[in-house]
Amino acid sequence: MASSPRKPPILSLPQARRIWLRAQRLDTAAPFGSGAAAVAAAIAHLGYVQIDTINVIERCHHHILYSRIPDYARADLQQAQSLDKSVFEYWTHALSYVAIDDIRYFMGAMKAHRLEPRRWSAVGSREETRKLLARIRRNGALTIRDIDDDVLTEKAHLWASKKPSKGLLERAFYDGELVISARSGMLKTYELMDRHFGWERRPAPASDRQVVAYKLDRALRAQGVVSLDSICHLDAPAKKAVAELIARRVKQRLLRQVAIAGSEKPHWARLETLDEAAGATSPAETGLVHILSPFDPLIIQRRRLKLFFGYDHVFEAYLPREKRVFGYFGLPVLIGDEVVAVLDLKADRAAGRLLIQQWTWLEGQDRPEAKRLIEAELERFARFQLAGEAGPAAVPPG
């Protein structure tokens, strides 16, 4: 008589949170060390660090790194990108920093981009792009501000530029002909990719199967326990191939299906991850506090966040004021393995102050000890935000 398949083990929510926090390296204070090497290590481990333009407080790529590198300095990322060249920028689910060792997994996307001319047909001809590349080859790397011979046009949308050359630069970037060799705020310096990295021959592009394996392994490393949705965040076309690879690895006993309390969707984890979780007793260092970016990898996948933490985050910057609950730019506060509060913060750089626009406790979390821990972290967070400017560290509005 054939034996029936084993039922997937059920992970409690505390166990699932513990696995995810460990994978995100948010369960210890300084998991990557310090300096530019720590930046490269953090980006390599997480798989990517999202870049965003919003500047109410420090932009999210710096904020995400700060959350895992306590003495993080912006110059560390600049060194990793421009001098060490250990990271590069490209599109994941958004524009992101990625480890240079992973660039071969993006070269297929670059080629596909080059072969789809209609995507950028409105920005100019291929001949205009070739002329711009020739200029960079002849005169060196440049920013959009270095181009002063454009015939200006009306903006097509809020984030557009009046300079047509901006579209040409972006097309060449996504085609893999240019790389962003330096960044100052949102001002990007473009350089020929091969020249920036000193390549005589480019790394061999990964095959389609290798890219699928990369996406799965990246998620397993940075999430610990995964679902198809979490692996393929904003990448639904990849789900079929990823599901087939998961099935093969389960059959090979490299992965095991698990159930998470409160979820009907299947999840998977490596066997060693489940063994580690079974033996763990503490979810995080005592009193460890993280004021997280709304674009942090722990926060950005909203449904997963709600399942694991019971917290439903809404990015309210684009909502009318009267519909906001947590404020314009709410930042979830993690203590140990619980999201306990949301802080709406704003950096008043002229006055050298970090303003607390709104402090919202989640239900049952308003405790004196939690308040003390958050206030202590706000002091450190303010120093990072203001980069040594004078003034009160964190003050309420008015």
Side-chain angles (χ1 to χ4, degrees):
M1 181 176 179
S3 60
S4 58
R6 291 186 301 169
K7 287 186 177 180
I10 298 175
L11 292 177
S12 67
L13 289 178
Q15 287 176 317
R17 288 196 296 268
R18 185 179 301 131
I19 291 172
W20 194 11
L21 289 171
R22 173 58 184 160
Q24 280 290 305
R25 297 299 188 258
L26 290 170
D27 63 336
T28 55
F32 296 107
S34 61
V39 167
I43 292 172
H45 177 82
L46 295 173
Y48 57 83
V49 166
Q50 183 173 337
I51 300 168
D52 197 79
T53 60
I54 296 176
N55 201 29
V56 177
I57 60 166
E58 184 52 87
R59 291 186 172 93
C60 74
H61 40 289
H62 294 303
H63 188 168
I64 292 166
L65 291 168
Y66 160 85
S67 294
R68 294 158 178 83
I69 306 171
D71 61 354
Y72 170 75
R74 295 154 187 82
D76 296 335
L77 179 55
Q78 294 168 2
Q79 178 177 331
Q81 179 173 20
S82 302
L83 299 178
D84 299 344
K85 302 173 185 176
S86 56
V87 301
F88 70 102
E89 296 186 26
Y90 205 69
W91 192 267
T92 54
H93 74 279
L95 187 63
S96 304
Y97 284 104
V98 182
I100 187 59
D101 288 346
D102 293 343
I103 197 168
R104 60 190 296 261
Y105 300 108
F106 293 85
M107 288 186 164
M110 295 173 189
K111 180 179 179 181
H113 203 282
R114 290 194 298 272
L115 297 177
E116 182 50 75
R118 289 176 298 175
R119 188 177 302 183
W120 291 89
S121 59
V123 305
S125 67
R126 280 289 181 187
E127 180 59 29
E128 290 173 297
T129 301
R130 282 192 287 270
K131 288 180 180 178
L132 185 56
L133 292 173
R135 174 177 175 174
I136 295 173
R137 186 173 295 107
R138 181 175 61 251
N139 299 331
L142 55 71
T143 73
I144 189 63
R145 293 180 184 173
D146 297 318
I147 300 175
D148 55 11
D149 55 356
D150 269 343
V151 177
L152 301 184
T153 60
E154 291 300 318
K155 287 188 176 185
H157 54 80
L158 182 62
W159 297 279
S161 172
K162 292 184 177 181
K163 290 186 172 184
S165 292
K166 183 175 187 290
L168 297 176
L169 288 168
E170 289 179 345
R171 177 166 66 185
F173 166 73
Y174 285 109
D175 284 354
E177 294 168 322
L178 295 178
V179 69
I180 297 171
S181 60
R183 174 183 286 273
S184 177
M186 288 296 110
L187 181 64
K188 296 168 280 192
T189 299
Y190 292 91
E191 174 62 291
L192 300 174
M193 178 179 282
D194 292 358
R195 188 163 68 189
H196 173 70
F197 290 117
W199 291 336
E200 293 185 5
R201 178 178 297 179
R202 291 192 171 195
S207 67
D208 291 345
R209 291 188 65 174
Q210 289 171 330
V211 171
V212 172
Y214 163 72
K215 290 178 179 180
L216 174 56
D217 290 334
R218 180 179 66 185
L220 287 165
R221 183 178 65 245
Q223 299 173 13
V225 57
V226 301
S227 67
L228 269 180
D229 288 339
S230 75
I231 300 163
C232 304
H233 178 54
L234 299 182
D235 186 19
K239 284 186 175 181
K240 183 177 184 294
V242 170
E244 291 171 352
L245 178 57
I246 289 173
R248 289 198 297 272
R249 290 196 182 179
V250 169
K251 189 174 182 179
Q252 295 166 347
R253 298 186 179 181
L254 299 175
L255 292 179
R256 186 169 185 190
Q257 184 177 336
V258 298
I260 295 181
S263 175
E264 296 180 356
K265 291 189 174 183
H267 289 72
W268 297 270
R270 292 188 174 114
L271 274 61
E272 56 267 30
T273 299
L274 298 175
D275 290 342
E276 290 173 6
T281 57
S282 176
E285 288 185 8
T286 302
L288 192 61
V289 180
H290 293 292
I291 301 171
L292 294 172
S293 165
F295 303 103
D296 193 280
L298 195 79
I299 305 299
I300 196 65
Q301 296 196 35
R302 310 292 193 227
R303 291 181 182 176
R304 179 178 168 92
L305 176 70
K306 185 175 181 180
L307 170 63
F308 281 58
F309 288 88
Y311 165 60
D312 193 7
H313 184 80
V314 179
F315 186 63
E316 300 180 339
Y318 302 130
L319 293 179
R321 183 185 298 271
E322 63 273 12
K323 292 187 177 181
R324 295 173 192 157
V325 176
F326 298 122
Y328 180 83
F329 201 71
L331 308 177
V333 181
L334 181 74
I335 299 183
D337 69 342
E338 293 183 291
V339 179
V340 301
V342 182
L343 304 182
D344 181 20
L345 302 180
K346 179 179 179 180
D348 183 348
R349 295 175 179 86
R353 295 183 175 188
L354 180 65
L355 302 178
I356 304 172
Q357 307 283 78
Q358 181 178 324
W359 183 317
T360 307
W361 289 103
L362 300 188
E363 185 176 356
Q365 299 292 350
D366 185 357
R367 306 185 304 271
E369 176 63 12
K371 188 172 188 293
R372 183 189 67 78
L373 289 170
I374 294 171
E375 287 174 340
E377 176 57 24
L378 273 169
E379 291 286 332
R380 194 176 76 87
F381 191 69
R383 289 194 294 272
F384 162 67
Q385 290 293 321
L386 303 171
E389 297 178 40
V395 297

